[in-house]
Amino acid sequence: MIHRSLNVPHLVACLLVGATAVLLCFGALVTTYDAAMAVPDWPATYGHNMFLFPFAEWFWGPWDLFLEHGHRLLGALVGLITLALAAVVWLQSPKEASLKSTVRGLVVAAVLLVVLQGLLGGARVLLDDKTVAKVHACTGPLFFAVAVAIAALTGRNGTSAATGPSIESRVSLGLLGAAYVQLVAGAQLRHLDVATVAPATFRWLVAIHVFGAVAVMALAFAAAVCCRGQASPGARRWSLAIAGLVCCQVALGIGAWFVSWGIPSGWLPAAWMPSEPLAARSAGGAAVITGHVVLGMLILGVAVALAIATGLFAGRGTRVALQPRPPRDGRPERAYA
Amino acid sequence: MIKARHNIVLLSATAWLLLVAVGCGPTPSASFRPNMVEATKQRLTVDQERQVATVLLAMFGTPDDPVALPETGLDESKLRLAAGPVRSDIVGRKNGLYREHCAHCHGVTGDALGPTAAFLNPYPRDYRPGVFKFKSTERADKPTHADLVRVLHNGIAGTSMPSFALLPEIQVDALAEYVKYLTIRGETELALMRAFFELDDDAGGKLPETREFLVYETLTPAAEKWRAAADAEIQVPEMPSDIDLVASIAKGKELFYGDKANCVKCHGVTGLGDGQANDYDDWNKAIVEVEKEVKSGAAKAREASTAGMSPDELAEHRAQLAWLEKFHGVLDGDALAPRTIPPRNLRHGIYRGGRRPLDLYYRIHAGINGAPMPAAKGTVPPEDIWHIVNYVRSLPYELDGELGADRPMVARDRF
């Protein structure tokens, strides 16, 4: 009989990742439907305490209000889970000293980021400022990446046996950076202030986003190739997953352009052009656009897992403590004290 | 572990640098963009451009705070719903509809210079000249409010203009009103800029600051056309209910290839839109003409020798060079590269102005304002226009034989 102890930090971290994913979906929908200013005050909601806002008014109210208030409630929930995670990590630290400090450092970063993100969300509403919205949109994925990193590092099999920088770890790191830059570029496009932006700026952003997509795709396939023979099973799995996700993401990106601005006539044979105009604000269109954003965040999360699996946190000549170890008397060693 | 920490620090620093890079500086407030192509064409000075901007600000306000003088006939409450940044008001009603749905392509000024505009083909509509294509009124008239609402509701097939049928009626209505506001503003701006040309020498380059000039001579004519549109709908004779469709199509075909309607000239003998295809619409034509003027002016300036010029001539020559340089910059930043307008391929069954027989009747009767499509009114009797409509509607389904092989003889075949 195999005895397994309850890895509470990992469970809470996984809960945080799940809650953050839902929060990001809501956030993406808020932007898709331009619902950020659906509630004109903050931290109150139409004068009510945020948590005491009438449920029926929220749930059955206008779609914009449902999204924005839901986003705020989920944000508060994620904040609470982050605090809970900080508490359990401090109480139940990993045995291995270096990993302990890494996880604790990441948890501190998560707490700081979640507080900052909440304040940015509030500032975006109070100032009604698109620049703040852009920073808010860039901080969200950063927090998600940190949450995924904590979940991966607190897991039993989440880390690498890598003993130093390898080609796959470098490629994975590059992929992680490129995936984040793509999200930043995407956030600039999504939160564009159409009233003040210069058309040339938009063209540059589109170019950066398109070239970024090519770079992410190239790095994703490079990672899949590098991890094929040498890396751990986890790294191989994540690298294949990310290659598949990036392909879907490119298709969704083209779809997002199409549902937003149609296909310029002349780009496709006339017979392929749709005979009916697209419907603005259709549920299908919103799903494609929002799906593109959410998949981008998912790619970032998988890139974090891949980077960790290929040795992002593995120091030169050291072995990470949470590597699966040979059973001792039929029982795996407990990673947490 | 040192390496690991180094990685974390590097990643965090990069991420935050990116954040700082994207987030530096507060968002500037929205403002209408002046019509620089017209201002440069009219050789306005900076002071004159400022005069126009001041008058427009007083008469029309800003994109965040629009003003509608009673003479415009516009409903300011609808404008307020459509204008400004996207936000919900205190009763939960969404404001900023134009910026949410339209400004990305049409631009906040309605000058078709929105961020996406350059990527679209055809380009989005520039409202400022006050020319609209798809309407139920005569060629030179403005569309009715219902026409604008219909275009918003149905979208424009074959272009990037989507259908806003999923928006509440009140929002579509507000958007149509805002389009009229931008048009009246744009036409007033054009009138003001052109007014400098007609000023007396003793005016000292200053526009008259009288209500009579500013409101009654510049704004009212633009606004009056919108009011008149409601009474300018084309009177369409009903299509006979007992019409023999086969005979009507045959008659329509004859007219299509005939000298009177002469649709074949542009739409081609096959109806594939492969006739004359090197023409421009009015918006692109204006830019093409300006570009030609700048090019020929630059060529002349290059050829001119300054050796024998008097000081006055030299000053004029230098002013001309400066103007050409300025115009060159304006065309780069305030105009899109001109594109020709291909005639419609009638065999796809995609009709931009609407697929109802009535819509096709309007297009054939009045032509398409701003486009090379001429009006059949006056050359083709109204009842015969229905025959052309029936023939055009049959073209996507015409499967017998080679395309256009069974056509009647057209004018150019006779020579």
Side-chain angles (χ1 to χ4, degrees):
Chain A
M1 182 182 158
I2 296 172
H3 168 75
R4 283 182 184 276
S5 62
L6 201 59
N7 185 349
V8 179
H10 180 62
L11 287 176
V12 179
C14 287
L15 180 67
L16 179 64
V17 170
T20 308
V22 180
L23 172 65
L24 292 175
C25 289
F26 260 73
L29 278 169
V30 164
T31 307
T32 302
Y33 281 95
D34 253 326
M37 295 303 293
V39 181
D41 48 353
W42 185 89
T45 296
Y46 280 106
H48 293 267
N49 179 312
M50 190 209 298
F51 303 104
L52 302 177
F53 187 74
F55 178 81
E57 208 172 313
W58 166 58
F59 200 78
W60 303 111
W63 178 237
D64 294 6
L65 174 67
F66 173 77
L67 290 176
E68 172 59 16
H69 186 61
H71 186 53
R72 290 180 183 194
L73 292 177
L74 278 165
L77 177 68
V78 166
L80 290 174
I81 297 173
T82 309
L83 291 176
L85 178 66
V88 294
V89 163
W90 246 259
L91 290 172
Q92 206 175 345
S93 297
K95 275 179 179 175
E96 208 268 317
S98 60
L99 184 63
K100 180 175 164 178
S101 68
T102 304
V103 171
R104 282 188 171 183
L106 285 170
V107 166
V108 169
V111 171
L112 292 175
L113 279 172
V114 84
V115 171
L116 175 70
Q117 183 69 338
L119 293 174
L120 282 170
R124 190 265 176 268
V125 172
L126 296 177
L127 303 174
D128 189 8
D129 192 286
K130 288 269 187 182
T131 307
V132 181
K134 285 175 192 170
V135 180
H136 184 63
C138 298
T139 311
L142 203 58
F143 174 78
F144 182 62
V146 171
V148 171
I150 297 168
L153 287 171
T154 51
R156 286 180 194 282
N157 303 314
T159 49
S160 164
T163 55
S166 58
I167 181 73
E168 58 263 29
S169 70
R170 284 184 176 141
V171 171
S172 304
L173 200 59
L175 176 58
L176 175 57
Y180 184 69
V181 171
Q182 270 299 78
L183 283 167
V184 170
Q188 307 315 299
L189 285 169
R190 298 250 299 157
H191 294 273
L192 207 67
D193 188 357
V194 291
T196 56
V197 72
T201 308
F202 179 75
R203 288 199 284 273
W204 271 108
L205 284 170
V206 170
I208 289 169
H209 203 48
V210 170
F211 283 117
V214 174
V216 169
M217 197 167 212
L219 285 165
F221 281 102
V225 170
C226 292
C227 295
R228 198 176 50 181
Q230 299 161 5
S232 66
R236 284 200 293 275
R237 208 167 43 236
W238 289 126
S239 65
L240 288 175
I242 209 164
L245 288 175
V246 168
C247 291
C248 296
Q249 180 70 338
V250 170
L252 271 179
I254 294 168
W257 181 279
F258 169 60
V259 298
S260 300
W261 298 304
I263 304 169
S265 63
W267 283 26
L268 283 180
W272 295 8
M273 295 292 284
S275 58
E276 290 294 325
L278 293 159
R281 285 284 178 268
S282 67
V288 171
I289 296 167
T290 311
H292 184 56
V293 180
V294 172
L295 194 56
M297 308 227 191
L298 191 61
I299 287 170
L300 181 75
V302 176
V304 170
L306 175 64
I308 290 172
T310 54
L312 173 65
F313 293 101
R316 196 183 296 275
T318 61
R319 182 183 166 83
V320 172
L322 293 187
Q323 185 60 20
R325 293 167 188 189
R328 195 179 55 189
D329 304 331
R331 291 165 55 184
E333 190 176 333
R334 291 176 63 173
Y336 279 81
Chain B
M1 211 69 232
I2 292 166
K3 182 73 182 170
R5 281 185 187 156
H6 176 72
N7 283 342
I8 297 169
V9 169
L10 193 70
L11 274 177
S12 308
T14 311
W16 281 101
L17 274 175
L18 277 166
L19 281 180
V20 170
V22 301
C24 50
T27 310
S29 59
S31 59
F32 288 119
R33 183 204 293 257
N35 188 340
M36 285 309 295
V37 173
E38 189 64 25
T40 316
K41 195 173 160 186
Q42 299 295 335
R43 295 175 186 258
L44 301 192
T45 62
V46 174
D47 180 56
Q48 288 170 332
E49 285 170 18
R50 206 172 293 136
Q51 280 182 60
V52 173
T54 308
V55 171
L56 289 172
L57 181 66
M59 289 205 288
F60 293 95
T62 66
D64 289 348
D65 189 15
V67 172
L69 295 179
E71 288 79 4
T72 60
L74 297 171
D75 183 341
E76 200 167 288
S77 65
K78 287 181 187 173
L79 298 185
R80 294 205 168 276
L81 203 60
V86 186
R87 67 176 74 173
S88 293
D89 58 21
I90 198 69
V91 292
R93 193 178 46 179
K94 204 163 192 182
N95 289 222
L97 302 170
Y98 182 80
R99 226 168 281 182
E100 182 183 2
H101 300 294
C102 317
H104 223 292
C105 302
H106 293 282
V108 77
T109 313
D111 54 4
L113 289 173
T116 336
F119 291 94
L120 307 186
N121 191 0
Y123 290 137
R125 181 68 51 247
D126 175 0
Y127 304 134
R128 295 170 305 172
V131 175
F132 290 84
K133 286 183 170 178
F134 307 121
K135 53 203 173 71
S136 61
T137 52
E138 296 293 351
R139 188 182 177 96
D141 289 324
K142 297 284 185 224
T144 63
H145 187 80
D147 288 334
L148 291 181
V149 169
R150 192 180 305 113
V151 168
L152 284 165
H153 193 272
N154 295 342
I156 299 181
T159 75
S160 298
M161 173 75 183
S163 151
F164 291 98
L166 295 175
L167 295 191
E169 211 170 298
I170 189 171
Q171 294 191 359
V172 175
D173 194 42
L175 284 172
E177 193 77 352
Y178 197 73
V179 167
K180 286 197 269 183
Y181 161 78
L182 289 176
T183 303
I184 295 171
R185 187 191 174 280
E187 286 189 277
T188 306
E189 183 183 31
L190 282 173
L192 288 168
M193 287 179 168
R194 288 167 185 169
F196 284 103
F197 187 69
E198 293 162 7
L199 285 180
D200 296 332
D201 287 344
D202 54 356
K206 300 266 182 206
L207 286 174
E209 290 178 359
T210 60
R211 185 175 178 82
E212 189 183 345
F213 170 74
L214 295 175
V215 176
Y216 300 128
E217 286 184 30
T218 59
L219 185 146
T220 308
E224 194 53 47
K225 287 180 203 159
W226 283 102
R227 267 197 286 269
D231 302 322
E233 276 194 68
I234 297 167
Q235 298 303 310
V236 182
E238 283 212 7
M239 192 195 296
S241 55
D242 58 344
I243 196 167
D244 177 354
L245 198 57
V246 175
S248 173
I249 289 171
K251 173 79 175 157
K253 188 173 190 173
E254 203 177 300
L255 288 161
F256 187 91
Y257 289 98
D259 292 342
K260 277 188 182 172
N262 201 16
C263 314
V264 69
K265 184 185 168 194
C266 298
H267 293 286
V269 289
T270 58
L272 291 167
D274 52 358
Q276 181 180 324
N278 57 355
D279 211 344
Y280 294 91
D281 62 22
D282 286 5
W283 298 269
N284 283 285
K285 201 178 280 177
I287 302 300
V288 169
E289 282 166 4
V290 162
E291 278 183 347
K292 272 185 196 165
E293 195 180 337
V294 172
K295 269 185 195 166
S296 68
K300 275 182 195 164
R302 269 198 306 273
E303 286 165 12
S305 165
T306 53
M309 283 186 183
S310 67
D312 283 353
E313 284 171 338
L314 197 60
E316 198 178 320
H317 176 71
R318 281 181 184 151
Q320 174 73 357
L321 285 177
W323 179 77
L324 286 168
E325 194 177 338
K326 182 183 176 186
F327 220 153
H328 196 73
V330 165
L331 287 174
D332 269 353
D334 289 67
L336 298 169
R339 290 190 188 131
T340 54
I341 180 168
R344 191 66 44 242
N345 179 343
L346 298 173
R347 292 188 183 268
H348 280 150
I350 298 174
Y351 309 109
R352 293 187 178 172
R355 59 165 55 186
R356 297 176 306 170
L358 182 64
D359 296 320
L360 296 179
Y361 185 97
Y362 289 144
R363 298 297 84 74
I364 297 166
H365 170 91
I368 298 178
N369 198 13
M373 168 86 180
K377 178 193 176 189
T379 54
V380 181
E383 57 275 16
D384 282 356
I385 290 178
W386 279 123
H387 298 313
I388 303 178
V389 169
N390 286 331
Y391 175 61
V392 167
R393 294 185 73 216
S394 76
L395 277 172
Y397 310 101
E398 194 180 62
L399 297 171
D400 52 331
E402 196 183 330
L403 290 177
D406 57 341
R407 71 188 191 278
M409 183 177 274
V410 296
R412 67 177 179 216
D413 291 343
R414 297 187 192 124
F415 301 100

